[in-house]
Structure formats: structure tokens, C-alpha cells
Amino acid sequence: GGAAAIPVKAEKVVRGEMTSFVETYARLEAERQISVIARATGFLETLSVEEGDRVRQGQVLVRLDKEELGLRMRQVRASYNEAEANYERIKILHDKKMVSQTEYETTALRFENSKVDLEEAELNLAYTDIEAPISGVIMQRLVEIGDLVRSNQEIFTIADLDPLLIRIYVPERRMYQLRAGQEATVAIEALPGQVFTGDIRMISPEVDPQSGTVKVTLEVPANGLL
């Protein structure tokens, strides 16, 4: 006998959207995180910020005791004034051929050295007010009021948290799905049920030979996250 007839229903073909996902896990990172380093030595007198505080570039974070460095600057300034007056006196005499070239050059050198000493003393005094080098959030505070802070000591870490970055590693075979500027959906474990959007900032041109993956950097605006 003949083949059995199978009923079918014909429908018009319509254009639809196909969605494919590359799903992975990663940590949010700050774009920049830097250490704040003291450039003077002194007892910590004023502490105006705490971990978690937002700060702006140039904001004074701590003040060190100025007494010792202030005294040093006054001494250096007095030496500078004396060296300047002596230089002006010797210069007049030198112009009149009344002192030797050697004596003039020695006096001029002392005056120049006193300028350098004064500039250094002024800088050291200014460094007792420690400022934020970037705008961001205080991630770590490593000092307490009353501590003896030493030059080159790390006292804070500050992170620029806007935007936040996510670095993911995607198998090379899935890279055809990704491109720079493409939108990404981000879910945060600490904020269940909430979804945020970001985009692909950059795609590494290299494939890791061991894992066969490509590093992809996502950028997520901090609005709504922080």
C-alpha cells in the first residue's frame, strides 16, 4: 500500500530574535586603587576620614603635628635671610673689584644652597597636610590618631569605584558572540534579584595558550551599585 499521509499545518514565516548567552562569574574591581604615602614625619594630630568615606582629589585626609617642622623652617628662613644679605653685600663689593672672584663665588653658592634648604623646609611643612591624590572611596585606613607617621609610610588606600570593572575569561570558540561596546547584564550576589547593565570596554587580542580563553573587560557604571 501507499505511504500514510501525515497532516501538517503551514504558517507564515516571521522574523524573530535569537538570544545566546555567554555566562560566567567574576569579581567587581576598581579601575584604580592607589596607596596614600606620607611624605613627612610627625605625630598624627587630625584624622578626618574613615573607611568607606568618599573623598575628592586634593581633600586633606590627615594633619601631622607641625611644631618640629615649623621650627626647622624658621631656622632655615633665618639662615636664608642672612645668606641673602651677605650675598648682596659681596656682590656690590665684587662689582667694584673689592673682593676676589673666589670669595664672590663662595658667597653665591652659600646663597643658592640656602634657597634649596628653604624650599625643602617649606615642602616638608606643607606635607604635614596629607591630601587625597585621586577622588574615590577610602578602602583602608592604616593609622590612628597619635601615631608617629614616618615619611614613605602607607596610611590609606583609595579606590576609584566609578566605573567598576569586571574581567572575564571567555573560551576562544565563543568569541564570535562578543564585540567591544556590546551590552552586558550583571547580577551581584550581594544584591539578589537586581540586575545591572554594563558594556564590553575591551577585548584582549591574545588567547591564553594554557586555558584557551580570551580576557574580556566589562565596564559597569557605579550608579545603583554603590
Side-chain angles (χ1 to χ4, degrees):
I6 300 175
V8 296
K9 180 180 179 181
E11 291 189 355
K12 185 177 180 181
V13 175
V14 296
R15 184 181 296 275
E17 182 178 331
M18 294 181 63
T19 303
S20 180
F21 293 94
V22 175
E23 188 174 278
T24 187
Y25 296 89
R27 296 177 60 184
L28 290 165
E29 302 176 17
E31 181 159 22
R32 287 190 298 168
Q33 180 162 310
I34 66 171
S35 297
V36 180
I37 305 296
R39 300 180 70 180
T41 296
F43 288 100
L44 198 156
E45 196 170 70
T46 304
L47 177 63
S48 57
V49 293
E50 187 49 88
E51 290 178 0
D53 287 352
R54 293 179 180 275
V55 297
R56 66 185 183 280
Q57 185 176 5
Q59 178 179 337
V60 175
L61 307 178
V62 300
R63 298 183 191 275
L64 304 182
D65 177 60
K66 293 178 169 57
E67 185 175 354
E68 185 174 340
L69 289 173
L71 175 61
R72 166 68 179 162
M73 195 186 75
R74 289 193 294 274
Q75 291 171 336
V76 170
R77 186 177 292 280
S79 297
Y80 169 82
N81 291 338
E82 181 182 350
E84 181 182 33
N86 196 38
Y87 168 74
E88 294 295 341
R89 181 178 64 83
I90 294 297
K91 184 176 185 302
I92 292 171
L93 294 175
H94 178 261
D95 292 342
K96 295 178 179 180
K97 312 294 185 184
M98 297 176 67
V99 296
S100 68
Q101 182 68 19
T102 300
E103 186 176 355
Y104 169 75
E105 290 176 355
T106 300
T107 305
L109 180 60
R110 286 175 182 162
F111 180 42
E112 287 300 317
N113 288 339
S114 71
K115 281 184 185 177
V116 173
D117 290 343
L118 181 59
E119 289 171 1
E120 181 181 5
E122 288 174 339
L123 271 179
N124 285 335
L125 186 61
Y127 289 153
T128 58
D129 290 344
I130 301 173
E131 301 177 349
I134 63 169
S135 296
V137 175
I138 301 291
M139 304 300 288
Q140 281 188 299
R141 172 177 60 80
L142 304 170
V143 288
E144 301 279 356
I145 288 181
D147 284 352
L148 175 59
V149 175
R150 300 187 182 277
S151 181
N152 296 320
Q153 179 180 340
E154 181 182 14
I155 57 175
F156 293 102
T157 57
I158 300 179
D160 179 1
L161 300 179
D162 192 12
L164 289 160
L165 301 182
I166 303 173
R167 305 184 200 279
I168 62 174
Y169 295 85
V170 179
E172 182 184 14
R173 66 181 183 277
R174 304 294 299 277
M175 287 305 301
Y176 72 92
Q177 297 174 245
L178 305 179
R179 66 182 186 279
Q182 185 175 350
E183 187 176 282
T185 300
V186 179
I188 311 296
E189 286 187 358
L191 302 169
Q194 297 188 50
V195 176
F196 304 91
T197 58
D199 56 55
I200 296 176
R201 174 190 282 194
M202 67 183 82
I203 297 174
S204 172
E206 295 183 335
V207 178
D208 185 287
Q210 293 184 335
S211 64
T213 60
V214 176
K215 183 171 71 173
V216 178
T217 303
L218 311 180
E219 180 178 302
V220 184
N223 288 345
L225 283 174
L226 303 176

